[in-house]
Amino acid sequence: MALTTRDVITQDFVRDTVEQVVEEDLVYRQAFREIDASDIESNSYTFYIEKNEIGRPSIVGEGEEAPRHGGEAPEEFTVQFDKYMGELVITMEAMEDGLMEMKAREVEDLARAVAEELNEQAYQVLRDNAQTTDDDGEAIGDQNGSLSFSDIVEGVRSLRENNYEPDLLIVDLDGYTDLLNDDNFNRATDEGDDLVREGEIGRVAGVPVIVDNTQAISGDATSGNVNGHGAFAVDTSRFGYELTRTSVTTNEYEEPQRQADVVQAFTRKAWTAIFPEAAVVIDG
């Protein structure tokens, strides 16, 4: 929504702008399913997770009991919500001097800052929980300093070997550059050479590959290694949740002593990994 110097910043403009920008999931929030926790009347949310896997049906004899699933008590754990908030001051001089176009951009910048913080929080949960090795304890990817199509295939295979179905691949900026020069990747994508479109740089076996330019992804990230040339492969239906206690909200009030209007944007959220093994780090 564009404003001119003749317009004013209304509450509707602020609310619509903030909600539109903040609710753009960017990249890492896409790795999580969503839960609306706005009606729980608590600052915490408890999950009850049945960890047992459903076994294959088997032949049973007459009068014998069928294999039973869910006999043990579910695992219980609780997450806490945090409030994320930003603030913008619009001075009397800005309003009187017709600087509304600039201030409208600052409202968008405020919303973008909140969105980027939420994306960062989601990234940290994904980074701290995604598996960095396969079942044999080996790194996923050849770790040769270049992300390749074969590295991506290895990550996808690692998840599928554990009965997960990856539906999201996130590559960092170095990995993105590597893949642009990988003929095997380009031939394998649904888009072929028409790579960059709406954040996706291609699809491999139907899985979207999305580029992120904010983080360097590495299997050794927890040790301070930020060499990049990496990717995350995620089964978003299983990995974890983004919980919203308070949806994106704006608040405006006057500060007469400063002769200014204050715009605030805030939300209360939490992220958690339920099945960490449903995401892996691919180390190129």
Side-chain angles (χ1 to χ4, degrees), residues 70-111:
E72 299 180 1
E75 182 177 347
E76 175 181 332
F77 66 95
T78 301
V79 295
Q80 303 291 327
F81 293 97
D82 291 311
K83 181 166 70 173
Y84 302 92
M85 186 173 184
E87 186 174 277
L88 169 67
V89 176
I90 303 176
T91 64
M92 176 197 70
E93 289 82 359
M95 290 183 282
E96 288 187 348
D97 294 345
L99 299 179
M100 287 300 97
E101 190 172 352
M102 180 185 70
K103 286 302 176 181
R105 188 182 68 246
E106 291 185 7
V107 170
E108 294 178 356
D109 291 343
L110 168 64

Short mmCIF file of all heavy atoms in Angstrom, two decimals, residues 70-111:
data_model
loop_
_atom_site.label_atom_id
_atom_site.label_comp_id
_atom_site.label_asym_id
_atom_site.label_seq_id
_atom_site.Cartn_x
_atom_site.Cartn_y
_atom_site.Cartn_z
N GLY A 70 0.47 -48.17 21.26
CA GLY A 70 0.04 -47.10 22.17
C GLY A 70 -0.19 -47.56 23.58
O GLY A 70 -0.93 -46.91 24.33
N GLY A 71 0.41 -48.67 23.98
CA GLY A 71 0.20 -49.16 25.33
C GLY A 71 0.91 -48.34 26.39
O GLY A 71 0.49 -48.31 27.55
N GLU A 72 2.01 -47.65 26.02
CA GLU A 72 2.78 -46.87 26.99
C GLU A 72 2.26 -45.44 27.05
O GLU A 72 1.66 -44.93 26.12
CB GLU A 72 4.26 -46.87 26.60
CG GLU A 72 4.89 -48.25 26.58
CD GLU A 72 6.34 -48.20 26.17
OE1 GLU A 72 6.85 -47.07 25.94
OE2 GLU A 72 6.97 -49.26 26.09
N ALA A 73 2.51 -44.80 28.20
CA ALA A 73 2.09 -43.41 28.37
C ALA A 73 2.87 -42.52 27.41
O ALA A 73 4.06 -42.73 27.17
CB ALA A 73 2.34 -42.97 29.81
N PRO A 74 2.23 -41.53 26.81
CA PRO A 74 2.91 -40.64 25.86
C PRO A 74 3.96 -39.78 26.57
O PRO A 74 3.85 -39.51 27.77
CB PRO A 74 1.78 -39.79 25.29
CG PRO A 74 0.72 -39.80 26.34
CD PRO A 74 0.81 -41.16 26.97
N GLU A 75 4.95 -39.38 25.81
CA GLU A 75 5.96 -38.48 26.33
C GLU A 75 5.37 -37.07 26.42
O GLU A 75 4.66 -36.61 25.53
CB GLU A 75 7.18 -38.47 25.42
CG GLU A 75 8.31 -37.59 25.90
CD GLU A 75 9.52 -37.67 25.00
OE1 GLU A 75 9.56 -38.59 24.15
OE2 GLU A 75 10.41 -36.82 25.12
N GLU A 76 5.67 -36.38 27.51
CA GLU A 76 5.09 -35.06 27.75
C GLU A 76 6.19 -34.01 27.84
O GLU A 76 7.18 -34.20 28.54
CB GLU A 76 4.27 -35.10 29.05
CG GLU A 76 3.71 -33.77 29.50
CD GLU A 76 2.95 -33.88 30.81
OE1 GLU A 76 2.40 -34.97 31.09
OE2 GLU A 76 2.91 -32.87 31.55
N PHE A 77 6.03 -32.91 27.13
CA PHE A 77 6.93 -31.78 27.33
C PHE A 77 6.21 -30.48 27.01
O PHE A 77 5.23 -30.46 26.27
CB PHE A 77 8.22 -31.92 26.51
CG PHE A 77 8.04 -31.86 25.03
CD1 PHE A 77 8.20 -30.67 24.34
CD2 PHE A 77 7.71 -33.00 24.31
CE1 PHE A 77 8.06 -30.61 22.97
CE2 PHE A 77 7.54 -32.94 22.94
CZ PHE A 77 7.71 -31.75 22.27
N THR A 78 6.72 -29.40 27.60
CA THR A 78 6.04 -28.12 27.58
C THR A 78 6.93 -27.05 26.98
O THR A 78 8.14 -27.02 27.23
CB THR A 78 5.63 -27.71 29.01
OG1 THR A 78 4.77 -28.72 29.56
CG2 THR A 78 4.92 -26.37 29.02
N VAL A 79 6.34 -26.16 26.18
CA VAL A 79 7.07 -25.03 25.62
C VAL A 79 6.49 -23.74 26.17
O VAL A 79 5.31 -23.67 26.53
CB VAL A 79 6.99 -25.02 24.07
CG1 VAL A 79 7.69 -26.23 23.49
CG2 VAL A 79 5.55 -24.95 23.60
N GLN A 80 7.35 -22.71 26.27
CA GLN A 80 6.95 -21.41 26.77
C GLN A 80 6.91 -20.40 25.63
O GLN A 80 7.71 -20.48 24.70
CB GLN A 80 7.95 -20.92 27.84
CG GLN A 80 8.13 -21.86 29.01
CD GLN A 80 6.90 -21.94 29.90
OE1 GLN A 80 6.18 -20.96 30.06
NE2 GLN A 80 6.66 -23.11 30.48
N PHE A 81 6.00 -19.46 25.73
CA PHE A 81 5.87 -18.43 24.70
C PHE A 81 6.75 -17.22 25.03
O PHE A 81 6.95 -16.89 26.20
CB PHE A 81 4.42 -17.97 24.57
CG PHE A 81 3.49 -19.02 24.05
CD1 PHE A 81 2.74 -19.79 24.92
CD2 PHE A 81 3.39 -19.26 22.70
CE1 PHE A 81 1.89 -20.77 24.45
CE2 PHE A 81 2.55 -20.24 22.20
CZ PHE A 81 1.80 -21.00 23.08
N ASP A 82 7.25 -16.58 23.98
CA ASP A 82 7.98 -15.32 24.12
C ASP A 82 7.28 -14.26 23.31
O ASP A 82 6.64 -14.55 22.29
CB ASP A 82 9.43 -15.47 23.62
CG ASP A 82 10.27 -16.36 24.52
OD1 ASP A 82 10.25 -16.13 25.75
OD2 ASP A 82 10.92 -17.28 24.00
N LYS A 83 7.42 -13.00 23.77
CA LYS A 83 6.84 -11.88 23.02
C LYS A 83 7.92 -11.21 22.18
O LYS A 83 9.00 -10.90 22.68
CB LYS A 83 6.21 -10.86 23.97
CG LYS A 83 5.57 -9.68 23.24
CD LYS A 83 4.66 -8.85 24.13
CE LYS A 83 5.42 -8.08 25.16
NZ LYS A 83 4.54 -7.16 25.91
N TYR A 84 7.61 -10.97 20.91
CA TYR A 84 8.52 -10.31 19.98
C TYR A 84 7.88 -8.99 19.59
O TYR A 84 6.73 -8.96 19.16
CB TYR A 84 8.77 -11.20 18.77
CG TYR A 84 9.34 -12.54 19.15
CD1 TYR A 84 8.50 -13.63 19.39
CD2 TYR A 84 10.71 -12.71 19.33
CE1 TYR A 84 9.02 -14.85 19.78
CE2 TYR A 84 11.23 -13.93 19.71
CZ TYR A 84 10.39 -14.99 19.94
OH TYR A 84 10.91 -16.20 20.33
N MET A 85 8.65 -7.90 19.75
CA MET A 85 8.05 -6.58 19.64
C MET A 85 9.00 -5.58 19.01
O MET A 85 10.22 -5.62 19.24
CB MET A 85 7.64 -6.10 21.04
CG MET A 85 6.87 -4.81 21.10
SD MET A 85 6.30 -4.52 22.80
CE MET A 85 5.35 -3.04 22.57
N GLY A 86 8.46 -4.69 18.20
CA GLY A 86 9.21 -3.59 17.64
C GLY A 86 8.41 -2.30 17.77
O GLY A 86 7.19 -2.33 17.96
N GLU A 87 9.11 -1.16 17.67
CA GLU A 87 8.46 0.12 17.89
C GLU A 87 8.99 1.18 16.93
O GLU A 87 10.17 1.17 16.57
CB GLU A 87 8.69 0.57 19.34
CG GLU A 87 7.95 1.81 19.75
CD GLU A 87 8.11 2.10 21.24
OE1 GLU A 87 7.37 1.50 22.05
OE2 GLU A 87 9.00 2.91 21.59
N LEU A 88 8.10 2.08 16.51
CA LEU A 88 8.44 3.16 15.59
C LEU A 88 7.83 4.46 16.11
O LEU A 88 6.68 4.48 16.53
CB LEU A 88 7.90 2.85 14.19
CG LEU A 88 7.93 3.98 13.15
CD1 LEU A 88 9.37 4.33 12.80
CD2 LEU A 88 7.14 3.58 11.91
N VAL A 89 8.61 5.55 16.07
CA VAL A 89 8.14 6.86 16.50
C VAL A 89 7.94 7.75 15.27
O VAL A 89 8.83 7.88 14.43
CB VAL A 89 9.15 7.53 17.47
CG1 VAL A 89 8.69 8.94 17.82
CG2 VAL A 89 9.29 6.68 18.73
N ILE A 90 6.75 8.36 15.17
CA ILE A 90 6.44 9.30 14.10
C ILE A 90 6.30 10.68 14.73
O ILE A 90 5.36 10.93 15.49
CB ILE A 90 5.15 8.92 13.35
CG1 ILE A 90 5.26 7.50 12.80
CG2 ILE A 90 4.87 9.90 12.22
CD1 ILE A 90 3.99 7.01 12.14
N THR A 91 7.21 11.58 14.46
CA THR A 91 7.23 12.89 15.11
C THR A 91 6.22 13.84 14.49
O THR A 91 5.77 13.66 13.35
CB THR A 91 8.63 13.52 15.03
OG1 THR A 91 8.93 13.76 13.65
CG2 THR A 91 9.68 12.59 15.62
N MET A 92 5.89 14.88 15.25
CA MET A 92 5.00 15.93 14.76
C MET A 92 5.58 16.58 13.51
O MET A 92 4.87 16.87 12.55
CB MET A 92 4.79 16.98 15.85
CG MET A 92 3.95 18.19 15.41
SD MET A 92 4.12 19.60 16.52
CE MET A 92 5.82 20.09 16.16
N GLU A 93 6.91 16.79 13.52
CA GLU A 93 7.54 17.44 12.38
C GLU A 93 7.38 16.61 11.11
O GLU A 93 7.13 17.14 10.02
CB GLU A 93 9.03 17.66 12.66
CG GLU A 93 9.32 18.73 13.70
CD GLU A 93 9.21 18.21 15.13
OE1 GLU A 93 8.88 17.01 15.29
OE2 GLU A 93 9.43 18.98 16.07
N ALA A 94 7.50 15.29 11.24
CA ALA A 94 7.35 14.43 10.07
C ALA A 94 5.95 14.53 9.51
O ALA A 94 5.75 14.56 8.29
CB ALA A 94 7.68 12.99 10.43
N MET A 95 4.97 14.58 10.40
CA MET A 95 3.59 14.67 9.93
C MET A 95 3.30 16.04 9.31
O MET A 95 2.65 16.14 8.28
CB MET A 95 2.64 14.40 11.11
CG MET A 95 2.66 12.93 11.56
SD MET A 95 1.48 12.58 12.88
CE MET A 95 2.35 13.23 14.32
N GLU A 96 3.80 17.10 9.94
CA GLU A 96 3.52 18.44 9.43
C GLU A 96 4.30 18.75 8.15
O GLU A 96 3.84 19.53 7.32
CB GLU A 96 3.85 19.48 10.50
CG GLU A 96 2.85 19.50 11.66
CD GLU A 96 3.11 20.66 12.60
OE1 GLU A 96 4.17 21.30 12.47
OE2 GLU A 96 2.23 20.92 13.45
N ASP A 97 5.47 18.15 8.00
CA ASP A 97 6.32 18.46 6.85
C ASP A 97 6.06 17.56 5.66
O ASP A 97 6.81 17.56 4.68
CB ASP A 97 7.80 18.36 7.24
CG ASP A 97 8.19 19.43 8.27
OD1 ASP A 97 7.41 20.38 8.44
OD2 ASP A 97 9.26 19.30 8.89
N GLY A 98 5.00 16.77 5.75
CA GLY A 98 4.60 15.97 4.60
C GLY A 98 5.55 14.84 4.28
O GLY A 98 5.80 14.54 3.11
N LEU A 99 6.12 14.20 5.33
CA LEU A 99 7.07 13.11 5.10
C LEU A 99 6.39 11.75 5.27
O LEU A 99 7.01 10.78 5.70
CB LEU A 99 8.25 13.23 6.07
CG LEU A 99 9.06 14.52 5.95
CD1 LEU A 99 10.18 14.55 6.98
CD2 LEU A 99 9.64 14.66 4.55
N MET A 100 5.13 11.68 4.91
CA MET A 100 4.39 10.45 5.14
C MET A 100 4.90 9.28 4.30
O MET A 100 4.87 8.13 4.73
CB MET A 100 2.91 10.67 4.84
CG MET A 100 2.19 11.50 5.89
SD MET A 100 2.24 10.76 7.54
CE MET A 100 3.63 11.62 8.29
N GLU A 101 5.37 9.57 3.10
CA GLU A 101 5.88 8.49 2.27
C GLU A 101 7.08 7.82 2.93
O GLU A 101 7.20 6.59 2.93
CB GLU A 101 6.24 9.02 0.89
CG GLU A 101 6.57 7.92 -0.11
CD GLU A 101 6.72 8.47 -1.52
OE1 GLU A 101 6.44 9.67 -1.74
OE2 GLU A 101 7.11 7.68 -2.38
N MET A 102 7.95 8.64 3.51
CA MET A 102 9.11 8.08 4.21
C MET A 102 8.66 7.30 5.44
O MET A 102 9.18 6.21 5.73
CB MET A 102 10.06 9.21 4.62
CG MET A 102 11.29 8.72 5.36
SD MET A 102 12.30 10.09 5.96
CE MET A 102 11.27 10.73 7.28
N LYS A 103 7.69 7.84 6.17
CA LYS A 103 7.23 7.16 7.37
C LYS A 103 6.49 5.86 7.03
O LYS A 103 6.55 4.89 7.77
CB LYS A 103 6.33 8.09 8.20
CG LYS A 103 7.11 9.18 8.92
CD LYS A 103 8.17 8.57 9.84
CE LYS A 103 9.03 9.63 10.49
NZ LYS A 103 10.08 9.04 11.37
N ALA A 104 5.79 5.86 5.91
CA ALA A 104 5.14 4.62 5.48
C ALA A 104 6.18 3.54 5.24
O ALA A 104 5.97 2.37 5.58
CB ALA A 104 4.32 4.87 4.22
N ARG A 105 7.30 3.94 4.66
CA ARG A 105 8.37 2.96 4.44
C ARG A 105 8.92 2.46 5.77
O ARG A 105 9.27 1.29 5.92
CB ARG A 105 9.48 3.58 3.59
CG ARG A 105 10.54 2.55 3.17
CD ARG A 105 11.67 3.17 2.38
NE ARG A 105 12.47 4.04 3.22
CZ ARG A 105 12.56 5.36 3.08
NH1 ARG A 105 11.86 5.97 2.13
NH2 ARG A 105 13.32 6.08 3.87
N GLU A 106 8.98 3.36 6.76
CA GLU A 106 9.49 2.95 8.06
C GLU A 106 8.53 1.97 8.75
O GLU A 106 8.97 1.08 9.48
CB GLU A 106 9.73 4.18 8.94
CG GLU A 106 10.89 5.04 8.46
CD GLU A 106 11.19 6.18 9.40
OE1 GLU A 106 10.58 6.23 10.50
OE2 GLU A 106 12.04 7.03 9.07
N VAL A 107 7.23 2.14 8.51
CA VAL A 107 6.27 1.16 9.04
C VAL A 107 6.55 -0.21 8.41
O VAL A 107 6.55 -1.24 9.10
CB VAL A 107 4.82 1.60 8.76
CG1 VAL A 107 3.84 0.48 9.09
CG2 VAL A 107 4.47 2.84 9.57
N GLU A 108 6.79 -0.23 7.12
CA GLU A 108 7.12 -1.48 6.44
C GLU A 108 8.44 -2.04 6.99
O GLU A 108 8.57 -3.27 7.15
CB GLU A 108 7.21 -1.25 4.94
CG GLU A 108 5.88 -0.89 4.30
CD GLU A 108 6.01 -0.62 2.81
OE1 GLU A 108 7.14 -0.66 2.30
OE2 GLU A 108 4.98 -0.40 2.15
N ASP A 109 9.41 -1.18 7.26
CA ASP A 109 10.69 -1.63 7.81
C ASP A 109 10.50 -2.23 9.20
O ASP A 109 11.15 -3.23 9.56
CB ASP A 109 11.69 -0.48 7.87
CG ASP A 109 12.16 -0.03 6.50
OD1 ASP A 109 11.98 -0.79 5.53
OD2 ASP A 109 12.71 1.09 6.40
N LEU A 110 9.62 -1.63 9.99
CA LEU A 110 9.32 -2.18 11.32
C LEU A 110 8.74 -3.58 11.19
O LEU A 110 9.15 -4.51 11.88
CB LEU A 110 8.35 -1.27 12.05
CG LEU A 110 7.71 -1.83 13.33
CD1 LEU A 110 8.77 -2.08 14.40
CD2 LEU A 110 6.63 -0.87 13.86
N ALA A 111 7.78 -3.71 10.29
CA ALA A 111 7.16 -5.03 10.09
C ALA A 111 8.18 -6.04 9.60
O ALA A 111 8.20 -7.19 10.03
CB ALA A 111 6.00 -4.90 9.09
#
